[in-house]
Amino acid sequence: MKVAKFGGSSLASGEQLRKVFEIVVSDPERKIVVVSAPGKRNSDDIKVTDLLIEAAEQQLRGENGEYLIEDVVSRYASIAEELDISESVITGIHENFMALLHADQTNPKRYLDALKAGGEDNNAKLVAGYFQSLGVEAQYINPKKAGLIVTDEGGFTRVLPESYDRLYALRDEPGIVVFPGFFGYTLDGDVLTFSRSGSDITGSILANGVKADLYENFTDVDAVYAVNPNVVSNPKGIRELTYREMRELSYAGFSVFHDEALIPAFRAGIPVHIQNTNNPAAQGTRIVNTRDNTNGPVIGIASDKGFCSIYISKYLMNREVGFGRKLLHILEDYGVSYEHIPSGIDDVTLILRQDQMKGDAEKKIISRIKKELHADEVNVEHDLALIMVVGEGMRHNVGTTARASKALAEAKVNIEMINQGSSEVSMMFGVKGHNEETAIQALYHEFF
Ligand SMILES: Nc1ncnc2c1ncn2[C@@H]1O[C@H](COP(=O)(O)OP(=O)(O)O)[C@@H](O)[C@H]1O
Ligand SMILES: N[C@@H](CC(=O)OP(=O)(O)O)C(=O)O
């Protein structure tokens, strides 16, 4: 049995849905179909999810977001029209979105999540209706009915482990199950969405729950490429990646697959296959536990912007018991998490996502570090990009760091920090945000 997830780009128009249908029915093993909300039809388009977020925010500001809901509904209507799906389906979708828009706003986060989730929920109904109209046994199944139970952990949606056992029963449903991605229900019956692009997570949870043989993730590229194809043209496609490599690369910026979507499939030993809806004959990329051929030290290079670093220096920091704890406690007081902590004898650097520093949080954090920890020096650097060079082969190859540093030096990119850390499959370089693309191109040409 296979779980097939289709992303927003695969569901943006009637023409795309036709391709999805052909793919699903061409393999009887494709039993569970997870869908996102309609995505962009071209590069200037807006995703349905973004329209829904804007509509919710307008309502919460006391403005009227109804015109945005009309835009959203017209997206479903044009798909339905292209595919000759009964108008009553669109009437139902319109009513549902209007009810969500005018729902109780006492808890703004819950209100926003419910409206956002409507994008995938209504799309699953539309896709199931389309499959039925072509004479195929298919049904929409709601995550609450299926038992996809989630919880809110400090603002992050996490699946509850008991969901997996409940979801197993989906195996026995008749025909094809069309399941909306991106959200689940709390034990109290509230809708909670995963983070953006979270339908990949739903697909992985379902693959684990039904103990699928394969989790197929259909998108709009022939493969996961060694670098972001928007930064280097025609980059090398990757045939096989390990879970660990993909986890590092998706965390560090490969937006093609959500970084939280690997763990459920990985825990159940289910391989993930990333494929192209627009070219299903292409080989795609398989994500597996181990791969035989390491093909040189590096398999991919990812990057992400929007980081800052706090450098703290204090003579004899290494001898001071509790220094790290006190430092991290200050961050905790402001609800700030860290990404990396490279350290030396007398110094430590905290690398954080800059957007967490709301209001005067940064000022307060710095002043407390200075006062409470009696630091000799505290410096903040903004607008950093982190570049992750990843590959299982790195463990067996000598000189990879030297090659990377040389390539960056030749491209005149100053390395702000290096962290080889405890991960055996990656090394990280911090560079100024404006050097990100130059750095990626230089590293790509060095290793590929
Ligand atoms: N290394 C990479 N390999 C392939 N695609 C990548 C990579 N890095 C970023 N991308 C981008 O990810 C996009 C696919 O992800 P996404 O837009 O979320 O698709 P979907 O609509 O299927 O969810 C590609 O079109 C590509 O622009
Ligand atoms: N529609 C949601 C969830 C999702 O997974 O979408 P996509 O498959 O288009 O990345 C979002 O835009 O975040």
Side-chain angles (χ1 to χ4, degrees):
M1 181 182 291
K2 296 177 183 172
V3 171
K5 178 259 171 178
F6 292 87
S9 55
S10 304
L11 299 157
S13 66
E15 190 192 342
Q16 291 302 86
L17 258 73
R18 280 198 193 98
K19 295 178 192 168
V20 168
F21 177 78
E22 289 305 326
I23 290 169
V24 173
V25 297
S26 69
D27 182 349
E29 289 298 309
R30 292 186 176 125
K31 161 101 188 149
I32 318 264
V33 175
V34 177
V35 298
S36 290
K40 293 182 178 194
R41 291 159 292 189
N42 52 61
S43 53
D44 300 326
D45 204 7
I46 306 176
K47 284 176 117 182
V48 158
T49 308
D50 289 306
L51 291 170
L52 292 169
I53 292 170
E54 182 57 27
E57 285 174 350
Q58 292 204 6
Q59 290 290 124
L60 287 167
R61 288 198 297 265
E63 296 160 21
N64 188 349
E66 272 191 17
Y67 74 98
L68 288 161
I69 292 299
E70 296 303 337
D71 282 356
V72 165
V73 175
S74 72
R75 295 281 284 271
Y76 294 87
S78 79
I79 295 172
E81 204 178 312
E82 247 184 287
L83 301 175
D84 271 336
I85 300 170
S86 140
E87 264 194 34
S88 64
V89 175
I90 297 303
T91 312
I93 289 177
H94 189 260
E95 281 169 11
N96 179 262
F97 275 124
M98 280 302 171
L100 290 168
L101 187 78
H102 296 295
D104 177 38
Q105 297 179 3
T106 322
N107 183 334
K109 186 178 179 302
R110 293 283 191 276
Y111 168 76
L112 173 67
D113 276 14
L115 194 53
K116 268 196 286 183
E120 334 310 278
D121 201 40
N122 283 301
N123 212 24
K125 291 176 192 164
L126 185 77
V127 171
Y130 172 51
F131 281 28
Q132 288 157 7
S133 75
L134 294 174
V136 166
E137 189 175 13
Q139 58 168 325
Y140 152 83
I141 291 200
N142 180 272
K144 190 194 260 175
K145 183 183 165 214
L148 176 41
I149 308 301
V150 293
T151 175
D152 190 350
E153 272 179 26
F156 290 96
T157 305
R158 296 267 174 268
V159 63
L160 285 181
E162 60 255 43
S163 299
Y164 294 114
D165 290 340
R166 297 186 193 191
L167 291 166
Y168 190 75
L170 288 175
R171 294 180 69 97
D172 302 324
E173 291 291 345
I176 292 166
V177 170
V178 185
F179 200 98
F182 197 33
F183 72 98
Y185 286 83
T186 65
L187 286 168
D188 295 332
D190 290 338
V191 167
L192 286 184
T193 55
F194 294 111
S195 52
R196 291 303 302 271
S197 296
S199 299
D200 288 344
I201 306 174
T202 308
S204 185
I205 292 169
L206 261 57
N208 180 315
V210 302
K211 304 291 167 250
D213 300 306
L214 183 65
Y215 171 28
E216 298 181 302
N217 194 281
F218 283 90
T219 179
D220 64 349
V221 277
D222 278 351
V224 174
Y225 298 108
V227 283
N228 185 338
N230 303 310
V231 177
V232 170
S233 57
N234 289 321
K236 188 172 173 265
I238 304 170
R239 285 213 181 143
E240 219 172 41
L241 277 162
T242 66
Y243 293 109
R244 296 198 315 165
E245 288 169 333
M246 190 63 201
R247 163 95 180 108
E248 301 262 348
L249 289 165
S250 54
Y251 159 80
F254 274 19
S255 54
V256 61
F257 194 67
H258 198 297
D259 68 307
E260 290 169 50
L262 277 171
I263 299 301
F266 167 69
R267 290 209 171 121
I270 300 164
V272 181
H273 192 190
I274 296 178
Q275 284 163 272
N276 192 351
T277 299
N278 306 316
N279 184 17
Q283 241 178 352
T285 300
R286 287 179 79 87
I287 305 168
V288 293
N289 203 10
T290 49
R291 62 187 170 92
D292 297 333
N293 188 352
T294 47
N295 275 337
V298 176
I299 195 139
I301 304 164
S303 70
D304 203 3
K305 270 200 185 75
F307 295 91
C308 66
S309 68
I310 306 178
Y311 169 83
I312 303 138
S313 160
K314 184 177 181 189
Y315 181 53
L316 295 181
M317 186 189 285
N318 62 320
R319 299 266 176 89
E320 192 172 325
V321 175
F323 188 92
R325 179 185 52 78
K326 287 179 211 153
L327 177 61
L328 295 182
H329 205 153
I330 296 176
L331 289 192
E332 197 177 340
D333 284 346
Y334 295 90
V336 169
S337 65
Y338 66 87
E339 304 294 315
H340 307 275
I341 321 186
S343 65
I345 311 166
D346 294 328
D347 41 41
V348 62
T349 303
L350 298 172
I351 300 171
L352 321 165
R353 287 205 184 261
Q354 207 161 281
D355 61 3
Q356 296 184 96
M357 300 291 206
K358 302 256 160 54
D360 57 358
E362 180 179 316
K363 247 198 196 152
K364 288 184 174 157
I365 289 173
I366 303 305
S367 128
R368 280 187 59 187
I369 294 174
K370 282 184 182 160
K371 254 200 234 144
E372 294 171 29
L373 301 179
H374 308 288
D376 297 329
E377 192 185 337
V378 184
N379 287 324
V380 184
E381 284 230 40
H382 296 110
D383 299 319
L384 293 175
L386 296 187
I387 297 177
M388 203 75 91
V389 179
V390 177
E392 296 273 358
M394 245 186 260
R395 268 174 293 162
H396 319 294
N397 279 273
V398 182
T400 314
T401 317
R403 278 176 71 185
S405 314
K406 187 165 168 273
L408 291 173
E410 279 170 5
K412 307 216 173 338
V413 173
N414 190 38
I415 301 171
E416 304 291 321
M417 79 196 69
I418 300 184
N419 186 13
Q420 205 153 4
S422 29
S423 160
E424 294 171 331
V425 298
S426 72
M427 61 186 150
M428 188 200 81
F429 295 92
V431 302
K432 292 269 188 225
H434 66 262
N435 281 328
E436 184 187 16
E437 290 206 356
T438 314
I440 286 283
Q441 284 156 356
L443 290 168
Y444 178 74
H445 293 300
E446 172 61 32
F447 290 107
F448 294 94

